[in-house]
Amino acid sequence: MIIWLNGTFGAGKTTTAGELTARVPDSRLFDAEKVGEMLWHVLGVPERDFQDFPPWRGLVVETARQVLDHVGGTLVVTQTVLVESYWREIHGGLTRAGIPVHHFLLHTDQETLVERIETDTKPESVEGRQWRLDHLADYQRALPWLRAAADVVDTTSTPPGRVAETVMSRVPAR
């Protein structure tokens, strides 16, 4: 099974994933961004986003399938996917592989997102702050299809542990 945490930068995906993997037995974090970073070494740095590389989408599906075949359990995926056709491709591939996918959109208002991004002190966050802020418009444009394709969880004033509990309560028992 996969619990996919979608949402823009600052929505709480990484923090929620940590809470989930601590609570969900036999679960592991799968950071699909690492697949994109691996592709940089082969295909070069993408013009816009590594998700634009078609191999990224197929490799995310195949990596998840092989990991689950090897260890079983649950993969908690933290990855912002804002292009609807990319999400359909990934979701379709996972479904064809027989992997149940529970897609959640962690959402908060624009003001809170900006505040979280601007006050994030992790070195990689400070370095990429403007890039993250520049992508908020892409998130706003994607919201209509995301709201239709995912189970929305508002993270504006909800502590991460409670967000994780909400996600867990919406995942059917296996």
Side-chain angles (χ1 to χ4, degrees):
M1 169 174 60
I2 289 178
I3 298 173
W4 193 293
L5 302 178
N6 204 342
T8 195
F9 312 99
K13 296 181 305 295
T14 302
T15 305
T16 301
E19 294 283 340
L20 281 169
T21 56
R23 288 172 163 81
V24 176
D26 202 22
S27 65
R28 291 167 174 74
L29 178 62
F30 173 41
D31 185 351
E33 192 166 312
K34 300 298 182 196
V35 175
E37 291 171 1
M38 182 266 311
L39 285 173
W40 289 348
H41 297 286
V42 179
L43 302 176
V45 176
E47 186 175 312
R48 199 180 81 73
D49 191 313
F50 60 76
Q51 291 184 17
D52 296 333
F53 291 140
W56 176 79
R57 300 184 296 278
L59 286 169
V60 166
V61 170
E62 186 59 19
T63 303
R65 185 192 67 76
Q66 290 211 18
V67 168
L68 286 171
D69 282 351
H70 182 68
V71 297
T74 300
L75 291 182
V76 177
V77 181
T78 57
Q79 183 64 52
T80 302
V81 179
L82 300 180
V83 177
E84 185 176 10
S85 62
Y86 295 177
W87 173 251
R88 283 195 315 260
E89 185 178 340
I90 292 166
H91 187 267
L94 293 168
T95 300
R96 282 187 299 280
I99 302 168
V101 180
H102 304 284
H103 183 204
F104 292 90
L105 172 63
L106 302 188
H107 175 75
T108 190
D109 61 75
Q110 183 86 359
E111 183 179 317
T112 302
L113 288 170
V114 170
E115 179 184 336
R116 288 178 183 175
I117 291 168
E118 289 182 342
T119 59
D120 191 342
T121 58
K122 293 187 292 284
E124 64 276 5
S125 297
V126 171
E127 189 176 292
R129 183 174 289 149
Q130 191 57 53
W131 189 89
R132 294 166 74 197
L133 290 168
D134 290 345
H135 282 77
L136 291 178
D138 294 336
Y139 175 67
Q140 291 301 319
R141 282 189 293 278
L143 266 176
W145 79 260
L146 283 168
R147 288 181 195 270
D151 192 345
V152 181
V153 179
D154 188 328
T155 66
T156 304
S157 58
T158 309
R162 183 70 190 120
V163 172
E165 290 169 11
T166 300
V167 168
M168 289 173 56
S169 74
R170 295 181 186 178
V171 173
R174 296 191 283 158

